[in-house]
Amino acid sequence: MTTKHDNLINGQWIAGATYAPNINPSNLSDVIGEYTQADAAQLDAAVKAARAAFPAWSTGNVQARADALDKIGNEILARREELGTLLSREEGKTKPEGIGEVTRAGNIFKFFAGECLRLAGEILPSVRTGVHVEITREPLGVVGLITPWNFPIAIPAWKIAPALAYGNCVVIKPADLVPGCAWALADIINRSGIPAGVFNLVMGRGSVIGDPLVNHPGIDAISFTGSQGVGARIAQQCAVNLKKVQLEMGGKNPQVILDDADLAQAVELSVQSAFFSTGQRCTASSRLIVTEGIYSKFVDAVAARMATLKIGDALAAGIDIGPVSSQSQLEQDLGYVQIGQDEGAKLVAGGQRLKLGTEGFYMAPALLTDTTADMRINKEEVFGPVASIIRVKGYEEALAESNNTPFGLSAGIATTSLKYATHFKRHSQAGMVMVNLPTAGVDYHVPFGGRKSSSFGAREQGRYAQEFFTTVKTAYVGV
């Protein structure tokens, strides 16, 4: 008998018409629980509850806000082992990665607890005698949050925490594939002292409640993380309705390796960037751009390192890489491996489905060489443990190739040259640049986001989150 989990609307747990099972991708016979599916009527009720709660919450005591967010952060951190296990069980990243993500979520809430008390404004002199000017920030209203499956607690946390800290009310729709972490987070928030209606959870299919959430007249802004295609459609819908919108839509991130790089360091950061978390990170490096002097040694060393990786059940000890998150994602990953070979790439390691002790969505990480920039494998986001290597002559060609993409989220360079590192930091067309570090892995207190088709709107995380979750008011006072 599996446990049933309901939506949180106006402080009450409310069942939808149906329930869907949450399946462990490491062991398809393991049902984590059954999670209800909201319909448009439940979504409407959640938005109305948030609108009713907004006046009191937005103007209430900021210390109460800070205390509630700090309490949420403390409980998340106290339960990091339990919640990390849940995360790994439903999403498939290894247990150490799951615990790390939960820790990040807890720290995000504690950071924004402090931000409740640091929302500053300005007082400026007017050009008119006897007048001064006050510039303040106020909450937007009711914010709709749509979160992805690859970071099922960290991304909800970095949207929910600033939304609440700055006085907004929230309606969140998590990815249908991973409702467990969102439900657990909602349960913690519901017991934190935050008033009923301020935070609402509606689980269900995007095809059923996604558009109604984006287009609901009671929603003032939308923050979305997901695919570029869905993000573009949301942007159009928000433009028609004149809603503020924030989009994070993935990447095709380059990792440049120059001839002068420390080979062991370059190999390790490339393998981590491309394959850890099963390559299911929007900041993962799927394009390894390698200069010709180090090319052969690098390819051999990466293949050798890949041979040591342990793939298996996400909860097992000593595992480096867990399963792909779902059957459809596995089929997509394997499909791109075949596409790359059909276009002329050479598969030098991995790329096949694995059958292990339990039935799961296991795949050996794939490394493709002899690829060119015009191949689909180098143009389209795979979102799995698949990396391709592009050979270039030198730094200038490497830089040009790294920018040869409609995306611009994260980019990395491995080099011992201060000259090239400095030039790359300035001229990379990415929102985040890493020098001698994996492209995947960011801190919770600094801005996150990209350029071009990777992102649209204000940055997420850190103090920069206020740019999206607040609006600026200018008041003139006669003195």
Side-chain angles (χ1 to χ4, degrees), residues 395-430:
Y395 170 73
E396 290 74 18
E397 187 180 349
L399 174 64
E401 189 55 52
S402 72
N403 290 330
N404 183 23
T405 172
F407 295 101
L409 181 57
S410 183
I413 186 169
T415 180
T416 55
S417 167
L418 179 61
K419 170 186 172 182
Y420 289 138
T422 302
H423 190 273
F424 188 81
K425 284 189 293 181
R426 174 62 184 84
H427 294 278
S428 172
Q429 296 170 4

Side-chain angles (χ1 to χ4, degrees), residues 66-251:
D67 291 345
L69 267 64
D70 191 56
K71 183 177 180 181
I72 294 166
N74 286 337
E75 181 168 347
I76 292 171
L77 293 175
R79 295 172 57 192
R80 71 183 83 191
E81 178 89 13
E82 169 203 346
L83 295 173
T85 299
L86 170 63
L87 192 157
S88 297
R89 191 176 165 207
E90 77 165 350
E91 194 272 344
K93 62 184 60 172
T94 66
K95 187 174 178 179
E97 289 176 317
I99 293 172
E101 182 180 333
V102 170
T103 301
R104 180 178 177 181
N107 285 330
I108 287 168
F109 273 96
K110 291 181 72 65
F111 174 86
F112 281 105
E115 286 298 281
C116 294
L117 309 175
R118 289 192 290 262
L119 190 59
E122 297 179 84
I123 297 179
L124 299 176
S126 172
V127 296
R128 293 172 288 172
T129 302
V131 175
H132 72 243
V133 183
E134 298 175 359
I135 304 170
T136 55
R137 288 186 175 273
E138 297 182 358
L140 296 174
V142 178
V143 181
L145 309 179
I146 303 173
T147 58
W149 52 259
N150 61 324
F151 282 87
I153 196 167
I155 293 180
W158 84 46
K159 294 180 187 292
I160 295 167
L164 296 178
Y166 298 130
N168 300 282
C169 292
V170 168
V171 177
I172 182 171
K173 193 209 88 64
D176 191 46
L177 184 64
V178 288
C181 284
W183 190 94
L185 181 56
D187 179 54
I188 293 171
I189 293 171
N190 191 45
R191 291 183 285 97
S192 68
I194 287 177
V198 170
F199 173 86
N200 303 272
L201 169 74
V202 286
M203 300 177 290
R205 302 289 295 175
S207 58
V208 175
I209 59 174
D211 283 349
L213 174 61
V214 171
N215 294 305
H216 198 292
I219 294 289
D220 298 295
I222 292 288
S223 179
F224 165 84
T225 299
S227 71
Q228 198 274 335
V230 175
R233 188 175 77 245
I234 289 174
Q236 292 173 341
Q237 293 170 329
C238 288
V240 169
N241 296 304
L242 300 179
K243 293 183 181 182
K244 196 171 185 180
V245 62
Q246 178 185 60
L247 308 173
E248 288 296 340
M249 299 171 289

